[in-house]
Amino acid sequence: MLRNNYQEETFAEGDITELLEDECHLILYNDDVNTFDHVIDTLVKVCHHTFEQAEQCAIIVHFKGKCDVKSGSYDFLKPLCTALLDAGLSAEIEEA
C-alpha cells in the first residue's frame, strides 16, 4: 500500500475568514490593440496558465469585456499585474 507524505492541516474559522478577506482578483480587460495570440502568450508566461486556460480567458475577455485571470493576495498579484501592464495589456487588481 502506498502512502503519501502529505500532512493534513486544519484551520480555525477565523483563519479561513482572514484568507478569504485577503483574496484579490487580477482582472484582465478587453482592448482594441492586442491580438489573441499576444494575450494568450502573455497569460501563459506571466500567470503560468496552460494554453487552454489562456485561450479561454482571452475568449471571455473578448466577449464579456473582462475576465478574472488569477486570484490570490495583493502582494502575490501585484508583480503579475505589473507584468501584464508592461506587456501592453489592460489589467487591475480588485479586492474581493
Side-chain angles (χ1 to χ4, degrees), residues 8 20 25 38 41 56 64 67-68 71 83:
E8 189 172 313
L20 293 175
H25 302 279
H38 178 63
D41 290 343
Q56 289 174 353
K64 301 266 186 179
C67 181
D68 178 349
S71 297

Side-chain angles (χ1 to χ4, degrees), residues 17-57:
T17 302
E18 185 178 326
L19 286 172
L20 293 175
E21 287 174 357
D22 288 345
E23 178 121 340
C24 295
H25 302 279
L26 180 56
I27 307 297
L28 180 64
Y29 292 96
N30 192 28
D31 62 44
D32 295 330
V33 179
N34 293 292
T35 65
F36 273 91
D37 287 340
H38 178 63
V39 172
I40 292 166
D41 290 343
T42 304
L43 288 173
V44 168
K45 289 176 190 169
V46 172
C47 296
H48 306 289
H49 285 191
T50 64
F51 177 84
E52 291 79 13
Q53 286 174 309
E55 184 178 46
Q56 289 174 353
C57 288

Side-chain angles (χ1 to χ4, degrees), residues 58-78:
I59 291 169
I60 291 169
V61 167
H62 179 73
F63 286 106
K64 301 266 186 179
K66 66 180 185 176
C67 181
D68 178 349
V69 296
K70 202 76 163 175
S71 297
S73 70
Y74 181 87
D75 291 338
F76 171 72
L77 297 177
K78 180 66 175 159

